Amino acid sequence: DAGVIQSPRHEVTEMGQEVTLRCKPISGHNSLFWYRQTMMRGLELLIYFNNNVPIDDSGMPEDRFSAKMPNASFSTLKIQPSEPRDSAVYFCASSSRGGLPRETQYFGPGTRLLVL
Amino acid sequence: DQQVKQNSPSLSVQEGRISILNCDYTNSMFDYFLWYKKYPAEGPTFLISISSIKDKNEDGRFTVFLNKSAKHLSLHIVPSQPGDSAVYFCAASGIGSARQLTFGSGTQLTVLP
């Protein structure tokens, strides 16, 4: 079992550039979550999808952030334009049943983003 | 406003001794609590959970205690091993607006050989 796959693992970009993070959930899982980890705020939920449909995006910090899930095996998180304060580790996670918190979420290895 | 707080960013413990990691929460809607463990360059992995109908849950060397009146939970690791060195995240969820997981900021545990 490959687990949750994220790419790239590291991204360094300049302020103002567009950044796209990618995630492939575990096959058969129908819920997908995007989190951001910072030193100050820990792990924050940005958005989650159930059956490819965005359910709650209240954690998305601002309009510069957008996420899509065009099919059950792929999701993207896009930041346009990027700013230095977006520097963080971004995690994708998936779970198998309806996104209920009682269902264990499986996390990918994360994408470490640095915006200069 | 952080609803789940881990006030100790780091903890060092001698191998074989007990590690106690603490977590406080403020949202009364939380009724399910989890601990995740994270190694460097990896994503968090689920460790143990507890429902609010219990005050203790044990799994091998790991025990989670819940004190609902104090809105406090703790993770005990006995005995601690060097392989336990990691960042530990406390998380909580509940009903309604608290449905999704809310994580604390994490505690770095270092178990010294």
Side-chain angles (χ1 to χ4, degrees), chain A:
Chain A
D1 190 354
V4 176
I5 299 172
Q6 290 187 248
S7 64
R9 293 294 308 274
H10 303 272
E11 178 80 29
V12 181
T13 190
E14 293 186 345
M15 183 174 64
Q17 296 297 305
E18 177 179 297
V19 174
T20 300
L21 311 181
R22 297 173 177 80
C23 175
K24 177 178 168 54
I26 292 172
S27 178
H29 282 191
N30 62 355
S31 294
L32 183 140
F33 308 79
W34 281 102
Y35 289 89
R36 177 172 67 176
Q37 181 192 7
T38 60
M39 289 291 289
M40 292 299 295
R41 301 179 67 84
L43 271 168
E44 301 174 277
L45 177 66
L46 301 177
I47 185 171
Y48 85 95
F49 295 83
N50 192 32
N51 293 322
N52 312 338
V53 177
I55 303 299
D56 183 356
D57 66 353
S58 58
M60 297 285 263
E62 39 193 285
D63 291 345
R64 297 183 297 106
F65 286 69
S66 64
K68 293 182 180 179
M69 192 165 185
N71 58 61
S73 59
F74 183 66
S75 176
T76 60
L77 177 67
K78 186 175 292 186
I79 309 172
Q80 165 64 14
S82 58
E83 296 182 3
R85 60 192 167 122
D86 302 329
S87 298
V89 182
Y90 291 80
F91 289 102
C92 176
S94 69
S95 69
S96 61
R97 255 193 283 169
L100 296 175
R102 276 66 171 169
E103 297 300 324
T104 299
Q105 294 184 21
Y106 296 84
F107 282 76
T111 295
R112 184 173 294 274
L113 173 65
L114 177 62
V115 183
L116 302 173

Side-chain angles (χ1 to χ4, degrees), chain B residues 46-103:
Chain B
F46 170 75
L47 185 60
I48 192 170
S49 63
I50 187 168
S51 167
S52 61
I53 62 173
K54 294 185 175 182
D55 54 18
K56 175 182 174 181
N57 188 25
E58 191 171 353
D59 183 2
R61 296 186 298 112
F62 301 91
T63 303
V64 56
F65 295 91
L66 175 62
N67 182 334
K68 291 185 289 293
S69 61
K71 292 190 174 67
H72 177 84
L73 65 154
S74 61
L75 175 67
H76 292 210
I77 306 173
V78 183
S80 302
Q81 298 174 355
D84 297 329
S85 297
V87 177
Y88 289 79
F89 289 98
C90 171
S93 73
I95 58 174
S97 60
R99 191 169 175 271
Q100 289 306 319
L101 284 179
T102 300
F103 284 85

Side-chain angles (χ1 to χ4, degrees), chain B residues 33-51:
Chain B
F33 304 89
L34 309 89
W35 287 93
Y36 277 77
K37 176 179 178 180
K38 182 185 176 307
Y39 291 117
E42 295 182 10
T45 56
F46 170 75
L47 185 60
I48 192 170
S49 63
I50 187 168
S51 167

